[in-house]
Amino acid sequence: DEWLGYGVLVSKLSRHSESIPVLVRAMAREPLASEPYSFLGIALYNVGRMPEAIQHFEQAYTLDPMNPMTRDNLEMIRKAAVDSQKHE
């Protein structure tokens, strides 16, 4: 999907805030694909929106539990959330 590709490109350019609405649109166009949820989770994580990022990674995992990128991202963000709570 062109929206997903554009959202990923914008995010890779470290323009995460700009990529979020694009990835939301990609999600709406392909609600059963895990990739938009995963990439949206990455963008949300990079702008500090941890709870939303976890939600999207969990949805991506639900849609495709065999995808290693999704599983690794979910594990990474859960660990980051626990680590940030320890430092509060």
Side-chain angles (χ1 to χ4, degrees), residues 5 14 23-24 28 31-32 35 45 47 49 61-62 70 83 85:
S14 296
L23 293 166
V24 167
L32 299 179
E35 292 85 0
Y45 171 78
V47 297
R49 292 165 58 180
Y61 184 77
T62 297
T70 300
D83 289 346
Q85 287 177 349

Side-chain angles (χ1 to χ4, degrees), residues 1-59:
D1 178 73
E2 66 274 2
W3 287 104
L4 177 60
Y6 180 64
V8 170
L9 173 66
V10 171
S11 192
K12 285 185 178 183
L13 294 172
S14 296
R15 293 169 23 203
H16 305 292
S17 293
E18 187 180 332
S19 72
I20 291 170
V22 176
L23 293 166
V24 167
R25 189 167 190 156
M27 234 174 34
R29 289 173 55 96
E30 296 187 57
L32 299 179
S34 67
E35 292 85 0
Y37 292 91
S38 229
F39 285 109
L40 181 57
I42 292 167
L44 290 165
Y45 171 78
N46 282 309
V47 297
R49 292 165 58 180
M50 189 83 71
E52 291 172 88
I54 291 171
Q55 258 185 327
H56 286 89
F57 282 127
E58 287 174 344
Q59 182 62 33

Side-chain angles (χ1 to χ4, degrees), residues 70-87:
T70 300
R71 184 186 61 245
D72 293 347
N73 284 334
L74 182 56
E75 289 175 14
M76 179 268 310
I77 199 165
R78 283 181 174 160
K79 182 181 181 325
V82 168
D83 289 346
S84 72
Q85 287 177 349
K86 287 180 184 176
H87 293 32

